[in-house]
Amino acid sequence: MNKYHQINMVAAFAAISMFTDVTAQYNIKSATPRFELPVNMRDGEDYISKTIIFKMKPQYRSLCTIEDINYTPLKSVMMQMGVRSFSKIYPNEEPPIRPYNAMGEKLVDLSLMYEYVYTSELSLQQALDKIAALGVFEYVEPHVIPKLLYNVNDPSASSQYHIAKISAPQAWNISKGDTNVVIGIVDTGTEPNHPDLKNNIKHNYADKIDGIDNDADGYIDNFSGWDIGMGDNDPTWQSEPHGVHVSGIAAASTDNSTGIAGVGFKCKFLPVKVSDASGKLTGTYIGIQYAAAHGCKVISCSWGGTGGQYGQDIVNYATINKDALVVAAAGNTGDEALLYPAYYPNALGVAGTTSSDTKAAFSSYNYRVRICAPGASIYSTYSGGSYVSMSGTSMSTPCIAGAAAVVRSYFPGYSALQTAARLCVTADDIYALNSSALKNKLGSGRVNLYRALNDPAMPSISMTTRKMTDGNDDAFVINDTVSVTGIYTNFLAPTNNLTATLSIVAGTGAVTLLTAGPVNLGAIPTLGTGNNNGLPFKIKIKPTSGLNTVVTCKITYSDGIYTSFETFDIVVNVDYLNVYENDISTSITSKGMNGWNNSPPTQGLGFKYNGVNLMYDAGLMIGVPDSAVSDVIRGMTGISDKDFKSRVNIKRITTGALSDFDTDGYMSDSLALKPLWVGIHHKSYAWSTPADRKYIMYKYIIKNNGVSTLNNLFAGIAADWDIQGAGGDSNRTSYDNVNRMGYTYYTKANGYYAGIKLLSYSAPASAYAFDNIDGGTGINPNAGFSNLKKYTGLSTMRTDAGLIKPPGNDVMSLVSTGPIMLPPGDSVEVAFALLAGDNLADLKTSANNAQIKYDLLTAAPDLRSIKEYNLRSYPTPASGTTTIDINLPKAGRVELKLYNMIGQDIATIAAGEFTSGKHQFNLDVSRLNSGVYYYQLIAGDTKIVRKMVVSK
């Protein structure tokens, strides 16, 4: 993928120098989840260009003000990316006084949410990644622009069939709602003077129209709602009268001898306009927050888009902090696509039906739909005081919102979630009227408002906390058994003898259900909980499971006449593992990529040191002359080649493990346009011991499965390190000949270092430092990375990059080994360590420790060098004094050190300039504990590590 960079940084760095450096006060331990932009999202259409929403972690609260965050690394990145605007999204929100409500649900803190608009030419994904890499955020996301969810028909019907279909007239005999229960219509605005709407708008009498913010809520004169999209107090629709229609369905004045009836009858509505002048929905989630903060007990959202944690946070804030029910449209794609906020936990997702209770052709459907309502040809208010019929889940949503408002009026003690539960458990089952393909995908059925008010009390159970584990690494692969336990909350009437049974409704070919229940959850009181910790559901993943298969599980609850269900998904047979064993967290893949499982970078952790991601992308490269290179590095178009095919997916090895986290897998290069016909048995190792906490070891056994000898073969790992600088700016890379390590670093103060070190001895080391921008003398991978250029990089030495644009630029580092002659049927082992550190000395220490560890794992490190130097110690085992012999082939500087098993340097045996020939050193080991030690010789470019046993 092409990478973009801001060129003029002088002013930005001058500004940064004035900031107070508070970085040292904080120790970042956890990374920010990565938001992956779907490939079909369009800049300016599906998300606002160059606009980022992020939420600071609470431990940084003292640095956060309304207009500033006094955190130097963030200021540095933002200055590099350019700042058009930066502000706190909810400046009037205070952090919750306590972390949880009475139900034990975590309250949402909106006071740490900010919106940042940058000016550089970075793509939005790159900008998201650069901000997230700082690790001080709970999440970093784009500002998504949802879409309205309706299909326009010509005005025709003058009747509202949906009123009778949901039994609203019978319900109104019981309750007509309450003017104090307000429905927030978060949409494109309303028509305040419409004869059927004007008397049902909820007015804010605490803020009369006088140019003063009388109620000090941050909004001046918000007497009749607010226009989030345009920032004023006039919620009148612009460009798109969609919201006028939605308003009437939920809350048109009823029994007023005018026009139509709103489902909510007496319930008021608060218009919250969230579209700009062109009709784009630019303020949707702020609209939900506004409605919730201003007392709405039901919030109608007839729109949707891509999901993220920000949207989930706002839904949780409305539901948990403000006890407002968010009702949202399932979508109009006519398939099982997911749309948000409808499918967030705590939201009530609504599908659309027809007058005959069949699913409307336009309506989306899936296992996450919770309820249905009429949405085809719904007659309601429109612009100019008129009425029209429209279709879509946009129309189904306010139907449910109006019903919810009446339920909340009749049952004033109900919470938002209890209201949703009551609507669902009393809905009419319409599955018999629909195709069997829709089974379980229309929620509990079509809403029946009369039953919601009149039916006897029934339970409503939901698994509010779920834990899935394989008892190992929780990466669910073939032959794993996954145990599922949960906490089950009863929102309504007490249960007597509740049972829960698990079944598989999608992905049945991928798993075997070992323990399905029924699990006896017994008697659970209203708002009480039960659990199945003593009897987990168990699912075993079959050897025939497809890669990354989504398995949908259904839990059926039963207690007397009460039955209900809910579903959840498990992704099985994943082809990558996440490693968290030491100071580096990363993902090990099945197809040659390092850090990420896809390109552009998606799925995975990247390469995080102390929670900060240092890597854009990385992967294995194997090549021979004549432009035959198999790899997973970016190609001619900027998108990575995908030449390796997994034959045996990566798995964790526990029996006979050599480290704290061993992995093993096998792949071939059969997907390459010009295959080498090699098979690669790949392994990785991670240790948590102090000396080994800053590297991950990768070992590749490459076998020639072809019929021709592979001459002049090189194999290596290339990594585009983006260390702290936006887009990799201010990065440089160089080469350490002694440690056979290419390393990259951030040139500013306190910058991190990352490296690739060759561990194996099968062939000499080579390294190529790339400048990822034009202007250098070497290869620019971003300007079309052909196989010829890739082999040149593999086989040519270029030690330095990042000197084109002071104080550094975007770079890539490739460390390889070769040339290797590999006859048919033969194999060669190449091994590398990927490392990180606080400075170069720190990185070199870890490189040395990695070499010691690798030499321990291998039977014969560099036998030629050992023979040439005749390095040996005796007697074996040693007890009092041991003698070490060295035969130096030439004069030069020599360093001889002793290390213990965990890589600690415990003695310098010799250091200095030595003549050629034989040298002998005596070492007193009498004070050492019995055990295994290592002595290491560094002489010029040669490094040899040998084992010594001390026994007393």
Side-chain angles (χ1 to χ4, degrees), residues 28 43 153 166 253 269 403 408 420 426 439 503 518 534 579 594 612 630 642 683 692-693 861 906 917 936-937:
I28 301 168
D43 192 338
N153 286 333
I166 68 170
S253 296
F269 78 99
R408 296 209 75 168
T426 57
K439 186 65 176 176
S503 59
V579 183
N594 302 103
V612 178
S630 297
K642 297 177 175 63
K683 303 170 181 284
D692 306 295
R693 291 189 61 83
I906 60 173
Q936 175 184 268
L937 170 68

Side-chain angles (χ1 to χ4, degrees), residues 486-677:
I487 295 175
Y488 304 84
T489 301
N490 179 16
F491 287 97
L492 297 176
T495 65
N496 294 309
N497 188 28
L498 179 69
T499 62
T501 306
L502 188 72
S503 59
I504 308 298
V505 294
T508 54
V511 297
T512 299
L513 184 55
L514 300 179
T515 304
V519 174
N520 185 11
L521 300 174
I524 303 178
T526 300
L527 299 180
T529 63
N531 68 74
N532 68 318
N533 295 337
L535 185 60
F537 300 118
K538 293 187 176 181
I539 302 166
K540 186 169 184 178
I541 303 169
K542 293 181 180 179
T544 55
S545 171
L547 197 63
N548 298 317
T549 299
V550 178
V551 176
T552 300
C553 303
K554 175 184 175 183
I555 299 181
T556 301
Y557 302 108
S558 181
D559 183 23
I561 63 170
Y562 165 73
T563 60
S564 68
F565 72 89
E566 65 179 315
T567 64
F568 61 91
D569 294 337
I570 305 176
V571 181
V572 302
N573 194 18
V574 296
D575 62 349
Y576 67 97
L577 300 178
N578 294 330
V579 183
Y580 301 93
E581 293 305 308
N582 53 37
D583 293 340
I584 293 168
S585 54
T586 191
S587 297
I588 313 293
T589 77
S590 298
K591 49 202 174 193
M593 302 192 76
N594 302 103
W596 301 108
N597 194 45
N598 261 326
S599 179
T602 62
Q603 295 183 345
L605 303 176
F607 191 85
K608 297 182 175 69
Y609 174 57
N610 287 335
V612 178
N613 182 41
L614 308 181
M615 176 187 287
Y616 181 76
D617 60 4
L620 178 66
M621 301 177 70
I622 306 172
V624 298
D626 302 323
S627 300
V629 177
S630 297
D631 70 285
V632 285
I633 302 300
R634 71 197 64 167
M636 291 300 294
T637 63
I639 301 298
S640 291
D641 292 338
K642 297 177 175 63
D643 295 341
F644 297 122
K645 180 182 177 73
S646 177
R647 300 297 183 182
V648 178
N649 281 344
I650 193 166
K651 60 183 177 182
R652 184 176 182 182
I653 303 300
T654 53
T655 303
L658 302 177
S659 74
D660 295 307
F661 199 101
D662 289 22
T663 71
D664 190 280
Y666 188 84
M667 62 188 178
S668 72
D669 73 334
S670 60
L671 298 180
L673 292 176
K674 192 175 181 181
L676 303 173
W677 302 116

Side-chain angles (χ1 to χ4, degrees), residues 738-755:
V738 172
N739 282 295
R740 302 186 295 167
M741 175 177 66
Y743 62 92
T744 303
Y745 60 100
Y746 183 58
T747 59
K748 296 306 187 72
N750 303 315
Y752 287 146
Y753 279 65

